[in-house]
Structures are given as C-alpha cells and as structure tokens.
Amino acid sequence: MNTLFGEKKEGATKIVLKSVDEYPEAPVSLGTTLSNFTGDWRTFIPVIDDDKCVKCYICWKFCPEPAIFIREDGYVGVDYDYCKGCGICANECPTKAITMEKEEK
Amino acid sequence: MEYKPVRKVVSGNYAAAYAVKHARVEVVAAYPITPQTSIIEKIAEFIANGEIDNIQYVPVESEHSAMAASIGASATGARAFTATSAQGLALMHEMLHWAAGARLPIVMVDVNRAMAPPWSVWDDQTDSLSQRDTGWMQFYAENNQEVYDGVLMAFKIAETVNLPAMVIESAFILSHTYDVVEMIPQELVDEFLPPRKPLYTLTDFDNPISVGALGTPNDYYEFRYKLAKAMEDAKKVIHEVGKEFGERFGRDYSQMIELYRTEDADFVFMGMGSLMGTVKQAVDVLREEGYKVGAAKVRWFRPFPSEELYELAKDVQAIAVLDRNFSFGQEGILFNEAKGVLYNTDAKPLMKNYIVGLGGRDFTVNDVRKIAENMKAIIDKGELDVEVDWYHLKR
Ligand code: SF4
Ligand code: SF4
C-alpha cells in the first residue's frame, strides 16, 4: 500500500485532497494526475473481451495512465477513474480483444 | 574521532570534486564546458583510479541531458551531482524547474561565467542569477574553501528540505586558482552527512508511482505553496547546518549574510562571491585610512536572507551594493532584491548600486576605495548622484 495517499480501493484510486496539509511534499501520484480523475476526460471507453485475451499484458505495458490492471484471474481490467479513453490499448492489443465504444454518460 | 583537517593546495574546481568524493555522491551526469570542465575531469579521474566506488558517471550529450539524468537519478533516491557554467546552465533552465518542482535535492556547482555574446569565458553572476525563480537554493562561495564546504553543506541542506541547491564559484578567479583548502577526513564527513533519505521510493514495484505527475488547476497551486514554504523553512535549516558545520569543523556558516567589521560602520559594501574577498581586504585598508566601513557578504541568495538584511540595514547610513550581474531594463539583481526587502520596513539606508566586474573585468582594492570616496560624498550630501553606477565604463 502506498502511504503517500489515502486508501487504494479495489481497482480504483479515489483521492480527494481537501487541505494543503493532505498533499504529499512532492508531486508524485498513483496515476498520472494528482487528485482528479483522467477518467472524466473520456468519450470512448475500452471494452475488453476476455475470450479473445491471451494475457500478453501489452495493453498493461502501453497504457499511459496507467489504468490497466491485472485481475486476480490473470485477465486485465480497467480502472475507469483513470482511463482517459485514448485507445492505445485497443490499438496495441494483438488479438483485438479491446474495442473502443462510445460511452453513454 | 578528533577533527584534524587534511590540507591540500587545490583549484576551486578540484575543491568541488573533492567535496563530491567526500559526500559519497552516487551519480554524476555532466557535460564539459569551460571553466567547469576540470571539476568533472577530476571526478572522472577519481573513478578511473578506483578512488571512489559506488558511483555512476553518465557522460551525456548536453547540459539539458545532464540535468535530466540527474533528475532521474535523484528520483530513484540517489545522491546526484552535476556542474556547469553560463550557456550550459541556460540550456538546463527548463530542467531546473523540473528538479525543484519534483523536490529533488540535486547539488550542482555553477562556475559563474558571463553569458554570450560577446563570447566570454570570464566571471559574471548573471548566468546563475537568471535561474533565480527556478526554485533552486543558491550559495555563493568567496574562495576555494567555501566551494568545498559549500558542496558538503548544500547536500545536507538540500536533502533536509528536499530542494535542489547550486553552489556558485567564480570563473578562473576561483575555478582555476590554487589555494589551500582544509579538507575533512572521510569518517567525519560521513558523520556530518549521512546517506540520503528520499521522500519516496521508486523501487517499490508493488506500489508504482508517477513522479512529477499532472497537477490540474485543482492541485498545482498547493504544490507551489509547498515549494515556497520549503524555501522559507530552508532558512532555519541553513542556519542550523551552518552552525553544526562550525561546531564540527571550525568554520561557522550559520549566518546567511557574513558581516565583516560592520559593528560601528557608517556604510557597508554588499555583494556576493569572490569579489567580497577583495572587498574585505579593502575594508581593512580603508579602516586604516579612517573610513568607518564594513562588508556584508551575501552567502545565500535563495532563499533570500531578508531578516538578516533588515538587521544590518537598521544600523547603517548607507549600503553600496556591488553587482557583478545585471537585469536589463532595471538594475543590478542583488540591489533590486535588497531594496525590495527593505521597502516595508523602518530601515531606510541610502542605497546605491555599482555594476562591477562584468565579463571578468578586474575589480581591485583600489576600485573599492574609489567607491568608498563616492559613497562618502553621497552620504555628506544626503542624496544619491545616480542610483545605478556603471562604475568601470570608459567615458
Ligand atoms: S483507453 Fe488509454 S487510458 Fe484507457 S485503458 Fe486504454 S490505453 Fe489506458
Ligand atoms: S493486449 Fe489484448 S490480449 Fe494482451 S492482455 Fe491486453 S487485452 Fe489481453
């Protein structure tokens, strides 16, 4: 558990820093942003088809946020608080297991 | 272990290299530039001779990369060092903001050298002072001893407040001039400067983190405040570390402004770096001649020693600020800062700015005497002739 920030929940990292004292000394974070969610930026959302996934973890390696995590069963999941919908994972996946779909908000 | 200094005759640059060795620096990333080159050559020689172990030397292709590599090294928790000069420092500028913003206690020696054009390799403080707002602490060394001591103290202070620090020495006047430097035995340096304790660890692979993360308008402001506060807190740390250095090794650096014969002075000369050695010598001569003068050497320019300046300004009639630097469209940079600090206080000494020694022009005891004569005339009259005096100008 990273002690710089609050509790890390399953898959997601919810951090809301309310006072300056709660901030870490250096701007380091669990995702690429400090306290807000790059997930708010998304228009398209990656949808993963486990049947096609071969657990190569190329998507995990390429996700810039990094929003892809490895689930207990070895397949990959997406932390939607941080997935900004860039589609890199879908582009890199060798088996086309990831498709980008328009997100309904 | 009792402190017995090891005396060596070294250049300012070699003094810096020895301090790097004694500080047990783990990563040096550097690119050669005159007059800094012999610092990194000496470090490379130490490594080649097997005199230092547990150190990585990264030869890079530019100063921008030197600072980038230092940032990477420092982010992993290593003690990192680099050195540069003038255009090289300017090329690092963007990365200097990164180092400070990410709160990495890198120590760098900048050998003060004039910015081109006209092309110059000689002494001038405008290169380092142009980096004023990057969030780096700045220590100006008067002599080779202060280069050595400065690097050791800078690591301790930087690693306490998590801010990078620059130790600044004059081109050639210090960098290439040999003088006796009292060095501290390794075991005693180790006691003074224990291994670094980084703010976070990058090698905890179960809990990966992003360094220098994106701060939206919701967060950026708070981090700037934290950086500002760290600079403010650094004053106390500088005082304590300087005092500790004095207690352990006999040279006290607890004051951010070193006062020399200012007790009963009518007016004082204020400045930074090697030129203050000349000024102190001149003060002795002038005192013999009946002038009641003193010197105030600003050791730390960032954080700025506002409180100490105020204490000094309360007791003197006038301050002659000697700037080996210039901010175009305004005035000497130290002068500008000093006046700003005193504006909201009761201390209102007459203040005059002398632009001296730019680009390595000689600045001698006799020059200080001429300035003293001018200052005396101003004080007698009660008003300035000019505020900014291009003192050496061929007229
Ligand atoms: S869409 Fe982009 S941000 Fe989202 S999981 Fe894929 S690579 Fe990561
Ligand atoms: S890149 Fe595709 S196949 Fe590989 S782990 Fe990710 S989803 Fe599965």
Side-chain angles (χ1 to χ4, degrees), chain A residues 1-2 4-5 17 19-21 23-36 38 41 65-66, chain B residues 101-103 161-162 199-200 204 207-216 218-220 222-223 225-226 230:
Chain A
M1 181 59 53
N2 197 302
L4 288 167
F5 302 93
L17 299 166
S19 89
V20 67
D21 299 329
Y23 279 77
E25 226 27 56
V28 292
S29 72
L30 297 171
T32 54
T33 67
L34 290 151
S35 74
N36 87 325
T38 38
W41 304 354
E65 276 313 308
Chain B
R103 304 294 300 278
V161 296
N162 291 294
L199 272 177
Y200 50 82
D204 178 1
N207 295 293
I209 50 168
S210 306
V211 174
L214 173 70
T216 62
N218 197 35
D219 298 312
Y220 186 87
E222 275 66 27
F223 281 101
Y225 172 81
K226 288 219 170 222

Side-chain angles (χ1 to χ4, degrees), chain A residues 46 63-65 67-68 78 83-89 100:
Chain A
C63 174
E65 276 313 308
I68 297 211
V78 179
C83 167
K84 63 186 175 189
C86 67
I88 290 174
C89 53
M100 299 302 291

